[in-house]
Amino acid sequence: MSRTSFHTHTFRCKHAEGDVIDYARSARAAGSPVLGISDHAALPDGRWPEARMAFTELDAYDAAIESAQKALPEIRILKGMECEYDADYLGYFKDELLGARNYDYLIGAAHYTPLAGSWINSFEALNTAGALAAYGRYVSEMMETGLFAFIAHPDLFGCSNMNWNADLDACARDILQAAESTNTPLEINGYGFRKPPVQGAEGTRPRYPWRPFWEIAADYRIRVICNADAHRPKDVLANMDDAEALAKSLKLEIVDHIRTASARTEKGAL
């Protein structure tokens, strides 16, 4: 099992527990040499406050990471954010987070999807052809910005669809084509294994990762990254073995490192 996860949340997102130091101690105890902290991005306009820290908490988040880095120098702790993309945030992501605040990386994630002038909940409403097409376009647009080290749980449409169909196939191929053309890794997300399963035509399965998506992924030249998506310190590396087993069963290329902001121009960086 990989000993490195780059997808970790703290209490600030309002649906997790523990602070940076708690996750770092758990990662150290598990023998992890690197840990990525990536809470849901504080946004300057305060959008989606139910599932992320307030913008006023950003300094405290940075300080918590920097304090843990000093307290546990034997483990490399990376500073990141999990971000919804909007063109309005481009300057904030590039100039402030990756720039002035020296974040190591950003994760792209589509918990919400732009559709017909508003935003829909991607966990609940990706169950029509139009919504799935919009989701595919949105995730592809994220990758095309070049801002994100990888895309989190690209197959979360498994939460709102019971059985695979042609619309899901088309959406998956849009995302996979963009991942291939932009060389952006896609995440096989361990948190999906810890959520209540769903019952579909193929039997009981995780909400995500959803195997049909990754079976199609095997037709593309893409890379995958396996992460725990921990919301509790004890889950800091949870279910990464399940994620890796899925990838290996389909002969997908697994990467265990990310392209940090400081390494983007280095030879061999992601």
Side-chain angles (χ1 to χ4, degrees):
M1 184 182 76
S2 173
R3 292 292 174 186
T4 300
S5 180
F6 299 96
H7 195 160
T8 311
H9 295 283
T10 77
F11 72 92
R12 294 172 184 83
C13 73
K14 304 182 181 71
H15 57 279
E17 59 188 59
D19 208 347
V20 178
I21 191 67
D22 305 308
Y23 288 93
R25 287 173 178 149
S26 291
R28 180 183 62 177
S32 181
V34 181
L35 175 65
I37 303 295
S38 57
D39 223 337
H40 292 281
L43 296 173
D45 61 5
R47 195 181 304 183
W48 304 306
E50 69 280 0
R52 65 196 60 246
M53 74 182 81
F55 189 70
T56 54
E57 295 179 274
L58 185 55
D59 288 343
Y61 175 69
D62 290 356
I65 294 174
E66 291 157 11
S67 176
Q69 289 169 334
K70 293 175 183 176
L72 298 175
E74 62 271 31
I75 180 171
R76 186 182 180 206
I77 301 172
L78 300 179
K79 181 163 63 172
M81 283 281 195
E82 184 181 13
C83 308
E84 270 74 29
Y85 175 70
D86 189 307
D88 291 343
Y89 303 144
L90 184 61
Y92 169 58
F93 290 157
K94 289 180 65 175
D95 301 332
E96 182 161 357
L97 296 186
L98 294 174
R101 291 180 180 266
N102 291 314
Y103 274 60
D104 293 298
Y105 67 104
L106 303 178
I107 302 171
H111 302 93
Y112 305 89
T113 297
L115 178 65
S118 61
W119 293 82
I120 61 173
N121 187 316
S122 300
F123 290 96
E124 300 172 355
L126 297 181
N127 51 10
T128 66
L132 286 165
Y135 176 76
R137 287 193 301 270
Y138 179 49
V139 175
S140 299
E141 182 183 1
M142 284 187 191
M143 290 186 267
E144 289 162 1
T145 68
L147 283 173
F148 303 108
F150 60 89
I151 297 297
H153 40 58
D155 52 341
L156 60 73
F157 46 54
C159 295
S160 50
N161 292 273
M162 294 302 100
N163 302 307
W164 197 261
N165 60 42
D167 296 329
L168 289 162
D169 190 281
C171 176
R173 292 186 183 279
D174 286 345
I175 292 168
L176 292 161
Q177 180 58 55
E180 181 179 84
S181 64
T182 62
N183 199 29
T184 304
L186 300 178
E187 178 192 69
I188 301 182
N189 184 284
Y191 193 23
F193 291 106
R194 302 192 296 280
K195 293 189 173 187
V198 298
Q199 185 72 32
E202 63 202 70
T204 302
R205 63 164 175 85
R207 294 168 184 261
Y208 58 89
W210 199 357
R211 187 178 180 91
F213 178 92
W214 300 103
E215 288 174 345
I216 297 170
D219 294 336
Y220 292 80
R221 296 184 62 183
I222 67 154
R223 296 168 300 159
V224 302
I225 187 166
C226 300
N227 287 306
D229 192 0
H231 287 68
R232 302 179 298 179
K234 70 178 184 179
D235 292 332
V236 69
L237 300 178
N239 297 101
M240 290 179 61
D241 52 346
D242 296 309
E244 290 180 359
L246 173 59
K248 289 176 181 178
S249 74
L250 297 170
K251 297 181 171 58
L252 297 170
E253 181 183 353
I254 302 172
V255 294
D256 60 1
H257 58 288
I258 61 170
R259 180 186 61 180
T260 61
S262 61
R264 285 180 178 174
T265 61
E266 293 179 10
K267 184 177 179 180
L270 294 182

